[in-house]
Amino acid sequence: MTTAQFEPLPDLAAAEPSTGTLVMKFGGTSVADPEKITGVARRLVEAQAGGNRVVAVLSAMGHTTDDLVRLAYEVSPRPKPRELDMLISVGERISCALAAMAIHDLGAEAISLTGSQAGIVTDTVHGRAKIVDVRARRIHEALDQDRIVLVAGFQGVSTDFDITTLGRGGSDTTAVALAAALGAGVCEIYTDVEGVFTADPRLVPTAQKLHAVSYEEMLEMAASGAKVLQVRSVEIARSHDVKLHVRPSFSSADGTWVREEDDRMLEKALISGVTHTREETLYRVTGTTASQLFAALAGASVNVDTIVQTGPEIVFSAPVDDRDATTDVLDGLGVEWSARDDLGKVSVIGAGMKSHPGVAAKAFAVLAEAGIEPEVVTTSPIKIACHIPSDDVDTAVVVLHKAFELDAPEAERAHA
Ligand code: ADP
Ligand code: ASP
Ligand code: MG
C-alpha cells in the first residue's frame, strides 16, 4: 500500500478575479538586513506605482525563526505549543513593521498587519495550523486607501482566538491563501534562488532552472524536500487556480511558473527534478491496524509521508520535526515499534513518467552502480522515492540528476 497524502483545503469563498491585485511574498534571506528590507520596500513602491494594489507577505529576517526556536528550547525542553507560537510569530511582525517604515520614507503609504489582523483564521493545531478562512475586509479597506499592505507571514489566529503558526516555510501558504482570497490570479514568490530547479542548486551546481512545472509535479517536489515552496501553498494554489511565479528577489529576471499541466511541459522532458531530504525517520510498527494507527497519527497532526504495509508490519516515515508527536502516539497506542534515524530520501519526479515505463528500473540501476541500496521504495504515478542512508543522499542526487540528463539546458523546458 502506497499513498501520497495531501491535506484537505480551506474552503475559501470564491473571490471575484481582481487583475489589479498583486500578492508578493519575500522569504527570510530576501529581508535579512535593513538594506534588503529597504530594497524590498522600493520594489513594492514600484509595483504600486505601476498601477497595482499591492499586498506583500514577508518572512522573518534571516535566521530569526531558528533563533527564536532555539531560545525556547534553552528555556524549556518541551515548550508549550501555544507559547512557542506566540514567540515564533514575532519574527514576521518585525519584518513587516520595518518594511512599512521604509515605505513611508519613500513617500508611499503602508500598513503592517499581523496574520490575525489580516484575517487569517486557522484551526487550533499549534505549530502546523491550517488556514480555514481568510477574512480580508481590513486588507480591502487599506488597499482602497491606496496603502501597500504588509502581512506577517506564517501565522494566523485560531478559531479559539489563539495565535497559531503554519509550519516551517508557512509564509508561502499565507501568500497563496491571500492571493486566492483576494482574487489575484498570480502569486509572486520572491526567494534567494532564481526559481525552481531540477535539483537543489546548492547541492547540484549544474541543476537547470525550470521554466514551468505543473501543480502535481510541484506538490511532489515540495512534499519530498524541495523546500522552495511549502507543500500546502501548492495545494491551495492548485485548488484555487492561483498561478505561482517563483522568482529571484535579487534581480528582475523571470523565474519558474507553477501552473496547470500542458503538453509543452510533457514533451520537453521525462523527469522534472530530483529532490531529497537528508533526514526522515522511518518507523516499523506491529500490533495495530493501519486504520487505527493512521487515525491516531492524523489526530496528532503528524505529517506521515511514505506508508508501506506487508503482512502484520506497517512501515511509515515522518519528518524529524514530528518525532515527539509520533513517539507520543505510538506509546499511547501501546504497540511495538522501532525507529531509524539514519535514513534520508531521494525522489525522482516527472509528469512525463506516466507514459514512459522504465524510469524506476533506470533509477535502481543508477543507484546500484553507485553502491546505494534503497531501504524502502515507494511510487506514485509521477514519483519514485527511495529511502537510503543519509550519508548516501548527496551522491544519489548527483548520480540520478546526471543519469536523467537534467544537467542539459533542454531540461529547462523553455517555451513562450
Ligand atoms: P525563502 O526563505 O525565500 O522562503 P527557502 O530557504 O524556504 O527560501 O527556499 C529556498 C531554498 O530552497 C533555496 O535556497 C534552495 O537551496 C532550496 N531548494 C531545494 N530544492 C530546490 C529546488 N529544486 N529548486 C530551487 N530551490 C531549492
Ligand atoms: N519564518 C518561517 C520559517 O522560517 C516561515 C517562512 O519563512 O516561511 O519557517
Ligand atoms: Mg521558504
Side-chain angles (χ1 to χ4, degrees):
M1 178 170 75
T2 303
T3 54
Q5 296 205 330
F6 299 117
E7 309 273 352
L9 295 158
D11 188 18
L12 298 173
E16 285 292 306
S18 162
T19 44
T21 304
L22 191 55
V23 178
M24 303 164 77
K25 178 258 169 178
F26 291 85
T29 323
S30 312
V31 293
D33 57 43
E35 288 71 40
K36 288 195 169 144
I37 289 190
T38 308
V40 167
R42 213 171 289 123
R43 208 159 179 155
L44 298 175
V45 171
E46 277 166 21
Q48 190 193 41
N52 298 292
R53 288 156 68 88
V54 177
V55 177
V57 174
L58 304 188
S59 290
M61 295 169 72
H63 299 293
T64 302
T65 311
D66 289 333
D67 294 343
L68 291 170
V69 170
R70 199 171 312 116
L71 192 59
Y73 282 88
E74 277 171 25
V75 169
S76 163
R78 280 188 90 167
K80 246 184 129 34
R82 180 191 183 280
E83 305 310 330
L84 188 59
D85 273 354
M86 278 296 275
L87 179 72
I88 65 178
S89 61
V90 167
E92 276 55 23
R93 302 180 185 200
I94 295 173
S95 307
C96 288
L98 291 172
M101 294 173 197
I103 290 171
H104 287 142
D105 290 346
L106 293 167
E109 289 294 321
I111 182 170
S112 62
L113 299 173
T114 66
S116 124
Q117 288 174 316
I120 308 278
V121 182
T122 74
D123 64 15
T124 56
V125 183
H126 285 290
R128 64 193 88 177
K130 295 196 183 74
I131 297 174
V132 294
D133 198 7
V134 178
R135 301 180 186 159
R137 186 180 56 85
R138 191 138 184 219
I139 297 180
H140 283 297
E141 282 172 7
L143 290 172
D144 289 344
Q145 294 160 357
D146 287 334
R147 288 173 158 182
I148 294 171
V149 181
L150 297 142
V151 178
F154 171 61
Q155 60 188 275
V157 60
S158 77
T159 45
D160 284 347
F161 307 105
D162 280 321
I163 299 300
T164 48
T165 61
L166 309 178
R168 299 308 301 265
S171 298
D172 299 328
T173 300
T174 305
V176 179
L178 284 175
L182 298 171
V186 176
C187 181
E188 297 193 324
I189 307 281
Y190 289 86
T191 184
D192 60 354
V193 286
E194 285 166 303
V196 180
F197 281 70
T198 51
D200 186 342
R202 290 179 203 286
L203 175 59
V204 185
T206 53
Q208 301 288 315
K209 188 190 81 183
L210 294 159
H211 173 76
V213 280
S214 67
Y215 292 123
E216 281 66 30
E217 288 174 310
M218 195 65 234
L219 273 176
E220 293 282 17
M221 288 178 80
S224 60
K227 68 168 186 158
V228 61
L229 287 172
Q230 198 193 35
V231 180
R232 199 150 174 83
S233 71
V234 187
E235 291 172 331
I236 295 176
R238 177 175 65 166
S239 64
H240 292 84
D241 219 4
V242 176
K243 291 186 187 62
L244 304 181
H245 188 190
V246 181
R247 50 192 311 197
S249 60
F250 48 84
S251 84
S252 54
D254 233 29
T256 300
W257 289 89
V258 183
R259 51 173 164 76
E260 279 302 332
E261 179 179 300
D262 68 35
D263 290 347
R264 292 170 306 176
M265 291 180 186
L266 295 178
E267 76 198 19
K268 293 283 179 183
L270 188 59
I271 302 302
S272 55
V274 180
T275 54
H276 70 280
T277 53
R278 290 207 173 80
E279 291 178 302
E280 195 166 297
T281 316
L282 192 76
Y283 300 86
R284 289 181 184 277
V285 182
T286 49
T288 182
T289 60
S291 65
Q292 191 186 20
L293 173 63
F294 293 111
L297 289 167
S301 294
V302 171
N303 235 323
V304 174
D305 178 50
T306 301
I307 301 172
V308 184
Q309 181 167 18
T310 42
E313 187 181 57
I314 303 169
V315 178
F316 70 93
S317 68
V320 178
D321 285 351
D322 290 359
R323 183 76 145 102
D324 286 348
T326 310
T327 306
D328 287 350
V329 167
L330 295 174
D331 287 343
L333 287 172
V335 295
E336 264 185 50
W337 64 274
S338 62
R340 276 187 71 172
D341 295 312
D342 58 341
L343 298 175
K345 193 175 70 181
V346 60
S347 309
V348 176
I349 289 148
M353 76 172 75
K354 279 186 284 198
S355 49
H356 288 79
V359 174
K362 180 167 174 175
F364 300 145
V366 169
L367 290 177
E369 205 173 306
I372 301 168
E373 205 181 312
E375 180 75 15
V376 177
V377 175
T378 42
T379 61
S380 84
I382 63 166
K383 179 185 76 174
I384 295 148
C386 302
H387 279 83
I388 57 176
S390 295
D391 291 344
D392 290 335
V393 166
D394 289 12
T395 309
V397 174
V398 170
V399 294
L400 287 167
H401 192 267
K402 192 164 194 326
F404 285 102
E405 293 168 19
L406 296 173
D407 302 324
E410 299 81 66
E412 190 191 346
R413 306 171 172 185
H415 57 250

